[in-house]
Amino acid sequence: MHKVLVVGSGGREHAIAWKISQSPKVSKVYVAPGNAGMEDIATRVPISQMDFTALAAFVKTEGISLTIPGPEAILAAGIVDHFQKEGLAIFGPTRDAAMIEGSKSFAKDLMEKYDIPTAAHATFSDYPAAKAYLKTQTPPFVLKADGLAEGKGVVITDSLEEADQALKDMMQNIRFGEAGKTVVIEEFLEGEEFSYMAFVKSEKVYPMVIAQDHKRAFDGDTGPNTGGMGAYSPVPQISKAMLTAARRDILEKAAKGMVQEGCPFTGILYAGLIATDTGPKVIEFNARFGDPETEVVLPLLESDLYTVITDILADKTPDLAWSKEHITGVVMASKGYPGKYETGAPIYGLENLSPETLVFHFATNRSNGNLTTNGGRVLLIARKGQNARDELYREIEKIKCDNLFYRNDIGGRNGNLDKK
């Protein structure tokens, strides 16, 4: 029997820990630092996710067989490099390989060099030059902070004035710190978006089922971009031919390109894609499980996640079996998110949910015996089955919190194609 450590504290990490805990090969799951909602399936460890020395020491002391890092920030900071130097098994990309997410310009250069389809683009570190280029472009304007900005570094607008203000915020007002000092301006792509994740080891690519995320805060895809307000799978409007092309021309080319660049990728490669009239194109690459896609994809995995990961690390072909069920997941977020919001609001009613309803915690705490909100995105509620979406929204109505909101139109095309 083995012990596993999941590093991170959000909904993605909850879903990973939940799936790993189902393995007959795993006796104990730890999460560092985790959150209050994970305590029924994992033991929380009060170590910061950025304290790599303390985390490695804990792994050695406890005899942990495998560590799975969740958030992009710790990958970009080199947690994998640190653990590998200590001779510890960890599933994720090195600091250099994580640049595929950590730098939009690195990713764009990779795509250009290895003929991976993406939007036309230009990169700037000088505000006047960026502004001059912007004026030559046709709306909608797409601006991306080069570095990590917690899913909030993308601005899409039809207004040249708003686009210019976003440039100023990033490059002059340093809204995202170092992450926004360099900005990528790119062509707006038309089509259906979808998220395609894969387990990767060097040139070996093992795709997962796809999902569709909803980035805008409010119903009808309105409001500001967020880290994601819900997701569903399968995505019936994406054809098999589109998926075949995405695997061949994007995932596999990216994996091979990273090997050629001397920074082979191990871990979860996430491709945020758009199905255009000329085939799939890349919106972004991430170097880890997507969030909230993980919370709807992992419940469809019928294989043992621990075995899948350890087989890949051992250069064995993993056994990947997927359910064909529909699943929909809806994020409940603090009012004001992704802007300013308050925390500490009590949450009631989770105990009244059906046993078939999945609950993943992004940011919760316990105060005076009550579960309370502790972040922007707070919960993701998910449901599998042919009528997943209708059942899910009935379940969400049982949850009572004065300071939470959610979208009412997630997954309207997932087995419920009449509902838009």
Side-chain angles (χ1 to χ4, degrees):
M1 297 292 279
H2 300 276
K3 299 177 183 178
V4 176
L5 171 65
V6 178
V7 183
S9 62
R12 164 186 47 223
E13 290 75 41
H14 190 175
I16 295 168
W18 168 79
K19 191 64 185 178
I20 286 287
S21 72
Q22 297 170 11
S23 171
K25 298 180 180 179
V26 174
S27 59
K28 193 163 188 176
V29 180
Y30 297 94
V31 288
N35 67 50
M38 303 182 191
E39 292 168 350
D40 60 334
I41 51 98
T43 299
R44 294 179 68 188
V45 182
I47 301 175
S48 165
Q49 65 182 29
M50 298 301 292
D51 192 343
F52 303 161
T53 300
L55 288 169
F58 177 78
V59 165
K60 291 177 180 178
T61 300
E62 292 297 322
I64 289 170
S65 302
L66 174 67
T67 297
I68 306 173
E72 58 271 29
I74 62 176
L75 296 169
I79 187 173
V80 171
D81 307 69
H82 186 93
F83 271 53
Q84 287 179 345
K85 286 177 184 175
E86 297 289 329
L88 301 172
I90 185 167
F91 186 64
T94 61
R95 186 204 304 261
D96 287 346
M99 285 284 284
I100 198 168
E101 176 173 11
S103 170
K104 301 288 191 302
S105 55
F106 173 91
K108 286 293 188 182
D109 289 346
L110 181 84
M111 288 184 268
E112 196 167 307
K113 185 173 182 179
Y114 293 99
D115 194 28
I116 297 168
T118 189
H121 60 279
T123 302
F124 299 92
S125 298
D126 175 72
Y127 167 69
K131 181 178 180 179
Y133 178 81
L134 194 63
K135 289 180 177 179
T136 69
Q137 300 304 294
T138 304
F141 306 102
V142 181
L143 287 73
K144 297 181 177 180
D146 182 60
L148 299 176
E150 298 181 344
K152 300 169 189 172
V154 179
V155 174
I156 302 173
T157 178
D158 288 315
S159 164
L160 181 60
E161 185 179 344
E162 288 181 6
D164 181 39
Q165 185 59 53
L167 275 182
K168 286 180 181 176
D169 287 345
M170 291 182 195
M171 304 182 81
Q172 293 189 326
N173 301 333
I174 317 299
R175 180 182 175 191
F176 300 115
E178 292 293 323
K181 287 187 175 181
T182 298
V183 173
V184 175
I185 301 174
E186 66 178 44
E187 165 196 18
F188 179 80
L189 297 174
E190 294 275 3
E192 287 279 350
E193 292 187 30
F194 62 104
S195 303
Y196 203 9
M197 297 187 288
F199 299 95
V200 174
K201 174 91 183 289
S202 294
E203 294 190 8
K204 299 291 187 181
V205 174
Y206 307 102
M208 304 184 205
V209 294
I210 63 170
Q212 188 173 77
D213 183 17
H214 298 251
K215 287 292 187 189
R216 299 283 190 170
F218 307 127
D219 288 359
D221 284 330
T222 59
N225 268 332
T226 71
M229 292 300 293
Y232 66 94
S233 184
V235 188
Q237 60 272 32
I238 303 300
S239 68
K240 288 184 179 179
M242 189 69 69
L243 277 185
T244 299
R247 176 176 180 166
R248 179 190 66 232
D249 299 336
I250 294 172
L251 292 175
E252 292 179 354
K253 279 189 178 181
K256 289 177 182 177
M258 295 294 280
V259 172
Q260 291 294 314
E261 291 301 298
C263 48
F265 190 98
T266 292
I268 305 299
L269 182 61
Y270 167 112
L273 306 178
I274 192 156
T276 75
D277 291 340
T278 57
K281 292 187 177 183
V282 178
I283 301 171
E284 64 175 348
F285 280 120
N286 291 336
R288 37 73 193 181
F289 274 114
D291 200 2
E293 293 95 337
T294 304
E295 293 90 314
V296 299
V297 169
L298 285 186
L300 298 179
L301 178 62
E302 295 178 338
S303 306
D304 179 341
L305 180 59
Y306 176 82
T307 301
V308 168
I309 290 174
T310 53
D311 280 353
I312 290 169
L313 287 173
D315 293 313
K316 297 178 183 177
T317 300
D319 172 31
L320 284 172
W322 299 95
S323 167
K324 297 188 183 301
E325 285 188 287
H326 298 288
I327 185 167
T328 303
V330 172
V331 170
M332 303 185 76
S334 295
K335 291 178 180 177
Y337 173 81
K340 293 181 179 179
Y341 54 83
E342 295 181 356
T343 60
I347 304 168
Y348 304 104
L350 291 180
E351 69 280 2
N352 298 325
L353 299 181
S354 163
E356 287 80 35
T357 300
L358 300 172
V359 180
F360 298 113
H361 293 240
F362 283 95
T364 56
N365 208 344
R366 293 201 185 275
S367 178
N368 299 320
N370 286 328
L371 194 69
T372 60
T373 63
N374 194 38
R377 293 187 297 175
V378 176
L379 298 169
L380 181 138
I381 316 301
R383 186 85 178 213
K384 288 195 297 182
Q386 195 62 36
N387 299 310
R389 182 178 184 272
D390 294 339
E391 293 169 351
L392 173 61
Y393 277 107
R394 284 196 291 269
E395 288 287 279
I396 289 174
E397 289 176 2
K398 299 176 183 178
I399 301 170
K400 308 299 179 186
C401 179
D402 292 339
N403 199 40
L404 289 180
F405 79 98
Y406 57 91
R407 283 182 55 165
N408 293 282
D409 60 349
I410 305 297
R413 301 169 73 175
N414 177 13
N416 296 266
L417 299 184
D418 56 317
K419 297 177 182 176
K420 301 297 181 186

